[in-house]
Amino acid sequence: MSATMAASGAARNTAVAEKLANRRRRSNRTVEALCLAATVIGLAFLAMILGTLLYLGMQGLSLSVFTEATKPPGSHGGLLNAIVGSLIQTTIGTLVGTPIGLLVGTYLAEYAQNSRLGNAVRFVSDVLLSAPSILIGLFVYSVLVRPFGGFSGIAGCVALAVIVIPIVVRTTEDMLRLIPVSLREAAVALGAPKWKMIVLICYRAALDGIATGVLLAVARVAGETAPLLFTSLGNLNWSLDITQPMSSLPVTIYQYAGSAFDDWVQLAWVGALLITFGVLAINVVASVVLRPRQ
Amino acid sequence: MSSTTASVTKVRTASAGISGDVIFAAAAKAAGIFVLVLLGAIIVSLLIGGMPAFIAFGPGFLTNADWDPVQQIFGGAVPIYGTLLTSVLALAMAVPLAFGIAFWLTELAPVWLRRPVGTAIELLAAVPSIIYGMWGFFMIVPFMSEYFQPIVIDWLGDIPLIGGLFQGPPFGTGVFTASLLLAVMIIPFVAATMRDVFMTVPAVFKESAYGLGCTTWEVMRAIVLPYTRVSVVGGIMLGLGRALGETMAVTFVIGNTNRIATSLFGPGNTIASLVALEFPESPAGSLKLSALLALGFILFVISFIVLAVSRMLLKPRAN
């Protein structure tokens, strides 16, 4: 009697345990499926954006896009002035911002470390890294455009340089901190002063990491629109004078995409295709070619 | 580390490179101070620029919903509300997806897929804001007005209490579309941060839970999430900081109306979109430009607080 009861009790326990296990397995599978779905949705957005750009951008892609400046609607212009303007401003902005960012990153990693000033600089640089870029445009407008009488390519370059600095700071500091102490000690043991140790040994050892940071900064500022609206303004005529308003791809896209003319909208799609694939190519190079050595 | 520094100092005094050392150290320190000054200058320039508006309207600037260039009355209530609303809605949509992506990338995906898929998700963050705006305007807006919004309005519009959120004509543009676009834009930031902090959980913790027979989801819920809770919130705040100041994408799709709509499908504006749109029509020295700069100052203060909190939460734990 008691034996049969124990047996049925054990059977009941097994049944309960099995039910519980099934439930846990089911909820696990549900969550796994939802996570996969989330990833697929994320990738689908990327695919949809790139697909749209390819489909609509390719239709307007022709040689004249690269050989002619922007023209009034209906007269088949190109994007040459916007492309050149973007190249000029991105290049100067990066050239100005990179050395400053490099020095700040060096200061944080090699000199300040965890001092109070160092922590303050690190905090402020990280805030600048994520601060709304439109505010950097307003800032440069207030200090450069309004007092010096007008929009200019220079102001655009400065705004982009301010965006470049914190990006370079972050990667430089991170990369310098990865360099082994033994390497530094070897340099110092040979009698190298600290600055030579940093410039000749640490920079060289961290070169690909620092280059990644600079590339990411280029990719970021090449697509910036908001800060340029208030600084270099955009220019529909051919102009290489950086003291005058200067055209750029993102601002031209902004002006053309919102216009009522079909050929302007078409050119905006071509510009969008160029800028996006340029920026993505830089990112892929930065992450695939340079990163694995770390 | 500190022993190296000490030995470096000792050697340095003996070497011929001492002047180079002094110059380099001074330059590095000057660059560090320059960054501090830069942030200070941004805050001060926005504050000075916005002063005339703050003086003219007082604290009422924050609560006044009028934006009337004809009568020279400017209030910031609508764009401030729009900025906060779109950002919070965007977070509500982005966080579950970003969590799913981070979970999949750290625990579920086959190892050979983790890197390429992770890179692809990161590329979503590299697409410029203006491209999101243009794509949203030409692709998402028509989809919203023709398919999504009419169906949702039919389906939910008549329900008491919450129905009001889903009423009105299906323009396609509006607060909901802007939030959706913002969500797509911040998913990669939140997902990347979550993935990075999930990977900091010591393998021993997870292995002991698996050893007890936990499923993957139970390990995530009972081990990984509690261990990384603070940093996960930090990552979400980082996404919020990004969403608050996003300009071009929002400007294209939010409808740009200075009115607080009761429906999520109604048009609105944000600080950034209002500044981008109204700036060309604001002559230097005008009260309107000052009001825009004042709004810029408010946006800076909000983002600064959010980013500061995010950084505090994301700080690596002391041990």
Side-chain angles (χ1 to χ4, degrees), chain A residues 24 28 31-32 35-36 38-39 41-43 45-46 48-49 52-53 56 100 103-104 106-107 111 113 117 120-132 134-135 138-139 141-142 146 151 162 165 181 185 188 191 193-195 198-199 203 223 225-226 229-230 250 253-254 257 265 268-269 272 275-276 279-280 283-284 287 291, chain B residues 1 4 8 11 15 17 20-21 24-25 27-29 31-36 38-39 41-42 45-46 97 100-101 103-104 108 115 117 119-124 126-128 130-132 134-135 138-139 184 213-218 238 242 245 247-248 251-252 272 275-277 279 284-285 289 293 296 299-300 303-304 307-308 311:
Chain A
R24 290 171 57 208
N28 194 46
V31 172
E32 283 186 10
C35 288
L36 181 63
T39 313
I41 290 173
L43 294 177
F45 273 113
L46 184 68
M48 279 192 286
I49 293 171
T52 310
L53 288 175
L56 292 170
I100 300 175
L103 272 177
V104 179
T106 310
Y107 173 69
Y111 291 98
Q113 280 149 19
L117 181 63
V121 171
R122 196 172 291 121
F123 171 75
V124 163
S125 172
D126 280 355
V127 168
L128 278 179
L129 187 64
S130 302
I134 189 169
L135 298 181
L138 282 180
F139 160 67
Y141 170 81
S142 308
R146 202 150 60 156
F151 301 98
V162 173
I165 292 172
V181 177
E185 283 171 344
V188 172
K194 187 171 184 180
W195 73 276
I198 295 170
V199 175
Y203 280 176
T225 316
L229 286 177
F230 316 134
I253 294 170
Y254 177 55
V265 173
W269 282 114
I275 198 99
T276 309
V279 164
L280 292 192
N283 270 278
V284 170
S287 71
R291 217 172 271 176
Chain B
M1 197 69 205
T4 336
V8 169
V11 173
S15 83
D21 251 3
F24 195 77
K29 191 168 187 178
I33 292 170
F34 173 75
V35 171
L36 292 182
L38 193 61
L39 186 86
I42 293 175
S45 76
L46 291 174
L97 282 171
I101 292 170
F103 186 20
W104 194 78
L108 303 174
R115 231 179 102 86
V117 173
T119 307
I121 296 291
E122 279 167 22
L123 286 186
L124 214 45
V127 174
I130 177 98
I131 306 302
Y132 276 103
M134 200 179 169
W135 178 73
F138 286 101
M139 297 294 143
V184 181
C214 286
T215 62
T216 325
W217 169 233
E218 284 163 352
L238 183 70
R242 291 269 168 179
T247 312
M248 305 320 295
T251 308
F252 268 99
V275 171
L277 270 183
F279 179 84
L289 184 66
L293 290 167
L299 174 61
F300 195 94
S303 333
F304 187 91
L307 293 172
R311 221 191 94 90

Side-chain angles (χ1 to χ4, degrees), chain B residues 51-250:
Chain B
M51 235 357 157
F54 282 129
I55 291 171
F57 304 112
F61 185 69
L62 297 174
T63 52
N64 182 5
D66 286 332
W67 186 270
D68 190 343
V70 180
Q71 294 183 47
Q72 291 286 299
I73 295 173
F74 303 105
V78 180
I80 293 171
Y81 167 81
T83 303
L84 298 176
L85 177 67
T86 49
S87 303
V88 170
L89 274 179
L91 269 192
M93 291 187 247
V95 167
L97 282 171
F99 172 78
I101 292 170
F103 186 20
W104 194 78
L105 282 177
T106 47
E107 304 287 336
L108 303 174
V111 175
W112 60 275
L113 259 179
R114 288 181 191 184
R115 231 179 102 86
V117 173
T119 307
I121 296 291
E122 279 167 22
L123 286 186
L124 214 45
V127 174
S129 162
I130 177 98
I131 306 302
Y132 276 103
M134 200 179 169
W135 178 73
F137 184 70
F138 286 101
M139 297 294 143
I140 296 286
V141 168
F143 170 78
M144 282 285 167
S145 70
E146 278 169 42
Y147 302 101
F148 185 82
Q149 291 183 351
I151 292 170
V152 174
I153 290 167
D154 268 1
W155 191 37
L156 295 174
D158 295 329
I159 300 173
L161 292 177
I162 63 155
L165 293 173
F166 304 101
Q167 281 172 353
F171 288 124
T173 53
V175 172
F176 181 80
T177 310
S179 308
L180 178 70
L181 213 50
L182 280 177
V184 181
M185 299 178 75
I186 60 175
I187 280 173
F189 290 103
V190 183
T193 322
M194 283 188 183
R195 182 189 60 180
D196 292 348
V197 299
F198 288 168
M199 293 212 278
T200 63
V201 179
V204 185
F205 289 10
K206 290 192 277 185
E207 280 159 11
S208 20
Y210 282 124
L212 289 172
C214 286
T215 62
T216 325
W217 169 233
E218 284 163 352
V219 170
M220 170 54 74
R221 215 178 40 184
I223 308 292
V224 177
L225 267 185
Y227 188 85
T228 56
R229 194 172 39 211
V230 174
S231 306
V232 165
V233 177
I236 294 171
M237 296 290 274
L238 183 70
L240 180 63
R242 291 269 168 179
L244 286 169
E246 197 42 68
T247 312
M248 305 320 295
V250 174

Side-chain angles (χ1 to χ4, degrees), chain A residues 62-97:
Chain A
S62 66
L63 200 60
S64 65
V65 170
F66 302 99
T67 57
E68 287 181 47
T70 46
K71 284 181 182 167
S75 50
H76 294 291
L79 290 169
L80 182 63
N81 55 339
I83 295 171
V84 172
S86 261
L87 286 177
I88 291 174
Q89 290 173 79
T90 306
T91 308
I92 298 181
T94 311
L95 288 180
V96 172

Side-chain angles (χ1 to χ4, degrees), chain A residues 168-240:
Chain A
V168 176
V169 171
R170 184 90 325 276
T171 42
T172 305
E173 193 198 351
D174 290 348
M175 291 305 125
L176 286 178
R177 278 175 181 272
L178 287 179
I179 294 175
V181 177
S182 55
L183 200 62
R184 299 158 191 274
E185 283 171 344
V188 172
L190 289 173
K194 187 171 184 180
W195 73 276
K196 277 194 176 167
M197 174 198 89
I198 295 170
V199 175
L200 298 179
I201 308 296
C202 296
Y203 280 176
R204 204 173 287 178
L207 188 64
D208 45 4
I210 295 173
T212 306
V214 176
L215 276 182
L216 292 178
V218 170
R220 165 89 190 276
V221 297
E224 280 292 348
T225 316
L228 296 180
L229 286 177
F230 316 134
T231 52
S232 61
L233 190 67
N235 190 340
L236 293 181
N237 300 310
W238 174 252
S239 164
L240 288 180

